[in-house]
Amino acid sequence: MPFAPEYEGEIPTLGWAVLEWITENLAAPDRAEYEPLILTREQAEFVLGWYSLDPVTGRRRYRRGVISRPKGWGKSPFLSAIALAEALGPVVPDGWDANGRPVGRPWATSRTPLVQIAAVSEDQAQNAWVPMLEMARMGPVVDNYPGLDPMESFIALPRGRIEPVTASASSREGNRPIFVLADQTESWTPGNGGVRLAGVLRRNLAKTGGTSLEAPNSYVPGLDSVSEESFKYHALIQEGKARDEGLYVSHREAPPDTDMSDRDSLLKGLAYAYGDSAEVNGGWVDLERLVAEIWDPSTRPEDARQYLLNQVTAQSDAWVSHLDLRAVTDRDKIVAEGDAVVLGFDGSRKRARGVADSTALVGCRVTDGHLFLIDCWEQPSGPQGRDWEVPKLEVHAAVHDAFKRYRVVGFFADPAKWETDVGEWESKYGRKLKVKSSAAHPVEWWMNGGRVTSIVRAIERLEHAILDREITYDGSPVLTRHFLNARRRRTERGMQIHKKYPDSPDKIDAAIAAILAYECRAHALAGGFGKAKSRVIQRR
């Protein structure tokens, strides 16, 4: 019979069976005597989500997963338990029972299970391997599964094996694993072979229909790590632009306003980041010890934020950071029809090689400086992106709709490769605009060429507004991504922003459009628009 939910909106999951299997078979690591492994509520919630099923097809919803938590939270032992469950437990969907509830079976009923614990170094692999051996050797699993032999270099299963993987990517090609645990993927970069290794492991999993889980600390944008690419993929899913949604991400970090110099603020931020593993929440992590570590003069602030607060920070040349953007994100603000707004536009056409630049239209409410993405046109990945060009008719329709929906008082557009179109907008809307770029060209605002001083001033204006928390923005994943892609470059005339390198696929066009919109707002305020009207008191 089909799935029968017990309450409205229930998603079927094999997670309950997996939780029961872990408790019945595995020992809690790092104990003097045997204790059953009982996961925290936070860990259990991840298991339920990770093993969720499609209620129609009955198949696993996710083929890849990421659980990002601070150092010491217990990621490696937790995922070691999941790896053992994948090797022996009921993780393969097997339909529904007589009551319409999900049923699982072990991999060994259909194929020889191979589970791999992957890392870019032998020391890194030991993080998960050592607690896994302890869970298996001290737990009832060795009695419940005759033939199970947890040896130092691998774990022999009644059928199959669990092995650590630290060799080069080329030596892994051709394996047929059913599960891969990838530890500390924030450090898997192109330079140490981690990105290539991840690609090989995922291709191997595709042969068996297997799954993989990553266990990183927060990533550093710009390092092109495996973890960073996974979060970019997740952002595309959130934007509705991914062709496959088989990635499950659970990330927890301290609030952006956590002040590392203030004890109460720091303890509160750490308690949130560590969740159930913090002593104050019933766990094992001593937050006072972490405070002492953070305040140690030898601890770099960026390392404390990345590894202990689990915050996504930024490289030294980043224009703005993830923390800065989180602090000004306001998804609840609504820009109503008829509100006075200004627009910013940055466009492209196509590219002979590489990925074409994006085309973006951004709005900014005059009264409070709230930035919001109207639309962004980006080259699709894969075959769909071949010979792609920006759909000009859609762009013109979006501009027209913005003028129809809002009271547009200003519109600054970079005319590069869009000179004719900007000319059309000037002819059509120029007379309606209260704020003009110039008398001759009310919309045209070049982001290159001879007006370097104005460009530098416009970039700094928005940067300072973000850093000083003077504005908000809608938290759009596209706008966020483009903000974070921007790199600062010092010139003789001041600071400007650019892509990481000219042909980089990481675009910044929506950030440019936001700069233009915010600069247009500055012109509007200078002209008296958006200010509260003074009350004139008349005497009789």
Side-chain angles (χ1 to χ4, degrees), residues 101 198 228 287 293 304 355 372 476:
R101 309 308 295 168
E228 181 179 4
L287 300 187
E293 190 68 29
V355 180
F372 58 100
S476 156

Coordinates of all heavy atoms in Angstrom, one line a residue, residues 101 198 228 287 293 304 355 372 476:
R101 N 3.7 2.5 6.4 CA 4.9 3.1 7.0 C 6.2 2.6 6.3 O 6.2 1.5 5.7 CB 5.1 2.7 8.5 CG 3.8 3.0 9.3 CD 3.3 4.4 9.2 NE 4.3 5.4 9.7 CZ 4.2 6.7 9.4 NH1 3.3 7.2 8.7 NH2 5.1 7.5 10.0
A198 N 37.1 14.3 -4.5 CA 35.6 14.3 -4.3 C 34.9 14.0 -5.6 O 33.9 13.3 -5.6 CB 35.2 15.7 -3.8
E228 N 32.9 24.7 0.0 CA 32.4 25.9 -0.6 C 31.5 25.6 -1.8 O 30.4 26.2 -2.0 CB 33.5 26.8 -0.9 CG 33.1 28.2 -1.6 CD 34.2 29.1 -1.9 OE1 35.4 28.7 -1.7 OE2 34.0 30.2 -2.4
L287 N 32.1 25.7 27.4 CA 32.1 26.9 26.7 C 33.1 27.9 27.4 O 33.7 28.7 26.7 CB 30.7 27.6 26.7 CG 29.7 26.8 25.9 CD1 28.4 27.6 25.8 CD2 30.1 26.3 24.6
E293 N 40.2 30.0 25.1 CA 41.0 29.7 23.8 C 40.9 30.9 22.9 O 41.8 31.3 22.2 CB 40.5 28.5 23.2 CG 41.3 27.9 22.1 CD 42.7 27.5 22.5 OE1 42.8 27.0 23.7 OE2 43.6 27.5 21.7
A304 N 39.1 31.8 15.1 CA 38.1 31.6 16.2 C 36.7 31.6 15.6 O 35.8 30.8 15.9 CB 38.2 32.7 17.3
V355 N 32.0 31.5 -19.0 CA 30.7 31.7 -18.6 C 30.4 33.2 -18.8 O 31.1 34.1 -18.3 CB 30.4 31.3 -17.1 CG1 29.0 31.6 -16.7 CG2 30.8 29.8 -16.9
F372 N 16.7 45.4 -2.9 CA 16.0 44.1 -3.2 C 16.2 43.8 -4.7 O 16.3 44.7 -5.5 CB 14.5 44.3 -3.0 CG 13.8 45.4 -3.7 CD1 13.1 45.1 -4.9 CD2 13.9 46.7 -3.2 CE1 12.4 46.2 -5.6 CE2 13.2 47.7 -3.9 CZ 12.5 47.5 -5.1
S476 N 18.4 38.0 -0.8 CA 18.3 37.2 -2.0 C 19.6 36.4 -2.1 O 20.7 36.9 -2.0 CB 18.2 38.1 -3.2 OG 18.7 37.5 -4.4

